[in-house]
Amino acid sequence: MSNPDPSKMKQDCPEKNECLKMLQLILDGEANSEQKENFLKNHLEECMPCYKNYHLEVAIRQLLKTKCCKDAPQELVDDIKTKVIKNLAS
C-alpha cells in the first residue's frame, strides 16, 4: 500500500459498516487474497476514513501484542472494537 494523496481521497465512506467488517477479516487473516488486494490496493487508496481505520486498527493490535505476553483476551479486543466503531459512527 502506498501513501495516497489525502486531497484526492473521499472524506466519507458510504459503506462504512461493510468496510469495517472487511478490515476485521483482513487483519484476522480470514479474507481471501482477492478481497484483501481489492480493499487494500483500491479502496484504501481512495477512502480517507477507511485508510485511517486500517492504520488505527493495526496500531491497536501492535500495541496489544507488545503489552500482553499472550494473545489479548477476547473480551478486551471486543470492547476496544466496540468503542472504536462507536467513535467512527459519531
Side-chain angles (χ1 to χ4, degrees):
M1 179 179 2
S2 63
N3 273 339
D5 180 355
S7 67
K8 296 179 181 178
M9 298 174 80
K10 295 185 296 182
Q11 299 302 309
D12 188 36
C13 183
E15 298 93 25
K16 190 179 296 187
N17 290 334
E18 291 82 14
C19 289
L20 288 172
K21 289 176 187 173
M22 180 55 64
L23 174 65
Q24 295 302 318
L25 288 174
I26 290 168
L27 293 175
D28 290 342
E30 297 173 3
N32 65 41
S33 58
E34 184 180 326
Q35 291 171 314
K36 185 175 179 178
E37 183 174 334
N38 183 49
F39 189 79
L40 295 178
K41 290 188 178 177
N42 297 324
H43 186 73
L44 286 190
E45 296 289 323
E46 59 190 44
C47 184
M48 181 59 77
C50 292
Y51 181 84
K52 287 180 178 180
N53 291 344
Y54 173 80
H55 290 285
L56 175 64
E57 184 71 26
V58 168
I60 289 169
R61 287 171 182 240
Q62 288 175 342
L63 179 65
L64 287 173
K65 283 181 183 178
T66 61
K67 298 299 179 187
C68 297
C69 49
K70 299 180 184 175
D71 288 334
Q74 190 60 44
E75 185 177 310
L76 174 61
V77 173
D78 292 342
D79 185 45
I80 291 170
K81 285 180 186 178
T82 300
K83 288 178 181 177
V84 169
I85 291 170
K86 271 186 187 176
N87 286 334
L88 294 174
S90 46

